[in-house]
Amino acid sequence: MYKAIIVGAGRLGRIHGINLKNTGMVEIVGVVNPSKEKGMKLASELGAIYFNDFQSSLKAMKPDMVIIASPMNTHANLIIESAENGIHVFTEKPMGINSNENSKIVSSVQKNKIKLQIGFQRLYDDSFINAKRLLDSNAIGRPLIAELISRDPTPEFLPYLPYPGAIYDDFVIHDFATLVSFFGFKRMTVYSTALAFSFPQYKEAGDYDNTLVNVKYYDGPLVNIDTSRCSKYGYDIRLEVLGENGLLKVENVTDYQTFVYKGDSVTHPPYLWFEDRFRDAYRREIEAFVKAVMNDERTFPDEVFGMQVGRISDAAKKSALEGVPVTVE
């Protein structure tokens, strides 16, 4: 049986750890986390050993694969160290936080011939999979305009350590991944506008909690991405593609279909948070990674995909920070 280590004992570390354990094909032998209390709690739940640092876990357990769910500024070093030790990697997005890191990752992964998969879980969601299938089958003809909406409920805590334009690496990158999956990576111009409305910590760091990104593919489509961390009404992920022959939509999905009509008002329970909305997608992406390792197949999304998405993210950061459109090709 393959052996795995989970790096990061937060919400996503737990999600990936449980899904990995449930495959029945992998033994989770270690959990790495700087906080002992959180690390030991997850290790106990998964039947693993707690480690305070990554190097100790590699030396002691000699894993076949590593699942990285630690803060995003740690991903690059963890991926490269794993690759140099011949260990396959599933990492939460982003692969790296800039194109320089991503280039080093691609070089190390390919040199050491390991598998790398990046956690863009929307690409394993039924609704997004079906939308791509319909788009590829020419169901709506040539795509003309695309609208992507990604809104998080206002968090009670900062989901990452902010730095200039970090929202593009942490959040909007899911939409960039959808773009590359649906429309490909080719010449485009990216123009971003952004503000920090709710979190002074973001503003002080040069980061944002709301942004609009316009992407012009030179042979189409035109794309608008609307991303916010200030959605009081709940979690909201939507996609719309206008084609020459019709319209393709992915609506905001919820388990709840109960509405209350009272006078001139209509109420609806809050929409699901990400771990519920994409529960099945998180399971599918881990299963796909394990099967790719076991069958020596190509992972998806892989390091090349991650580098392409990272280049769009870098362009969006540069555009927002400098107030200019940036061309990617």
Side-chain angles (χ1 to χ4, degrees):
M1 184 176 283
Y2 285 86
K3 296 190 297 183
I5 284 175
I6 309 293
V7 184
R11 183 177 294 172
L12 280 168
R14 184 175 184 275
I15 289 170
H16 292 316
I18 290 172
N19 284 333
L20 189 62
K21 185 175 181 179
N22 287 342
T23 66
M25 297 180 284
V26 177
E27 179 188 5
I28 301 173
V29 295
V31 171
V32 180
N33 197 72
S35 164
K36 185 175 181 180
E37 182 180 357
K38 288 181 67 174
M40 290 191 71
K41 183 178 178 181
L42 182 59
S44 176
E45 186 173 359
L46 298 175
I49 297 172
Y50 165 71
F51 292 89
N52 178 257
D53 69 279
F54 187 54
Q55 291 78 16
S56 295
S57 72
L58 296 187
K59 185 176 180 180
M61 308 313 296
K62 296 181 172 52
D64 304 291
M65 57 183 71
V66 168
I67 311 300
I68 298 173
S70 53
M72 59 185 180
N73 62 324
T74 67
H75 292 184
N77 287 338
L78 290 167
I79 294 168
I80 291 170
E81 187 166 0
S82 298
E84 289 174 349
N85 282 277
I87 301 166
H88 305 294
V89 178
F90 177 97
T91 182
E92 260 304 315
K93 51 75 192 164
M95 187 170 75
I97 61 172
N98 55 54
S99 293
N100 182 50
E101 284 191 355
N102 287 334
S103 294
K104 292 177 181 177
I105 290 168
V106 170
S107 177
S108 182
V109 165
Q110 295 183 350
K111 175 186 175 183
N112 292 288
K113 296 181 171 57
I114 63 120
K115 308 287 185 187
L116 172 66
Q117 183 172 321
I118 306 157
F120 292 120
Q121 84 281 355
R122 291 183 200 178
L123 305 184
Y124 282 87
D125 174 69
D126 275 339
S127 297
F128 281 84
I129 290 170
N130 196 39
K132 178 167 169 37
R133 180 185 63 79
L134 290 167
L135 195 64
D136 289 347
S137 69
N138 206 36
I140 60 168
R142 181 184 181 187
L144 306 175
I145 294 176
E147 301 273 352
L148 289 83
I149 294 174
S150 298
R151 297 174 186 161
D152 272 359
T154 302
E156 297 176 358
F157 59 92
L158 295 182
Y160 57 81
L161 184 66
Y163 55 83
I167 190 173
Y168 299 104
D169 294 328
D170 176 71
F171 194 7
V172 195
I173 200 162
H174 281 296
D175 298 298
F176 298 149
T178 301
L179 288 194
V180 174
S181 176
F182 279 38
F183 309 121
F185 181 77
K186 49 195 175 182
R187 189 166 185 253
M188 67 185 77
T189 294
V190 179
Y191 181 66
S192 307
T193 56
L195 286 170
F197 288 106
S198 299
F199 293 96
Q201 300 97 318
Y202 286 151
K203 188 172 184 178
E204 290 166 7
D207 195 21
Y208 318 103
D209 49 33
N210 286 267
T211 178
L212 295 174
V213 182
N214 297 115
V215 179
K216 174 187 175 182
Y217 278 95
Y218 277 75
D219 59 354
L222 301 175
V223 183
N224 185 65
I225 302 172
D226 161 346
T227 307
S228 177
R229 291 200 180 279
C230 304
S231 176
K232 290 291 187 182
Y233 65 90
Y235 190 55
D236 188 0
I237 304 295
R238 283 177 276 156
L239 165 72
E240 180 175 298
V241 182
L242 174 66
E244 289 179 318
N245 301 325
L247 178 69
L248 180 64
K249 299 180 76 171
V250 173
E251 293 288 6
N252 199 18
V253 177
T254 173
D255 284 345
Y256 305 101
Q257 294 299 328
T258 303
F259 293 82
V260 178
Y261 298 83
K262 189 173 181 180
D264 60 355
S265 68
V266 180
T267 60
H268 186 282
Y271 286 100
L272 302 173
W273 191 218
F274 72 87
E275 66 263 44
D276 296 312
R277 165 64 180 85
F278 291 108
R279 183 187 299 112
D280 291 338
Y282 281 119
R283 173 181 53 79
R284 289 191 192 104
E285 66 178 357
I286 281 291
E287 290 174 351
F289 170 66
V290 172
K291 289 175 182 176
V293 171
M294 294 180 69
N295 300 327
D296 193 22
E297 297 171 346
R298 186 172 182 177
T299 54
F300 173 77
D302 64 7
E303 70 278 2
V304 175
F305 187 100
M307 182 168 61
Q308 293 170 343
V309 171
R311 288 186 60 196
I312 302 173
S313 184
D314 274 2
K317 280 184 279 189
K318 180 179 175 66
S319 178
L321 293 167
E322 298 181 7
V324 296
V326 178
T327 298
V328 181
E329 51 190 337

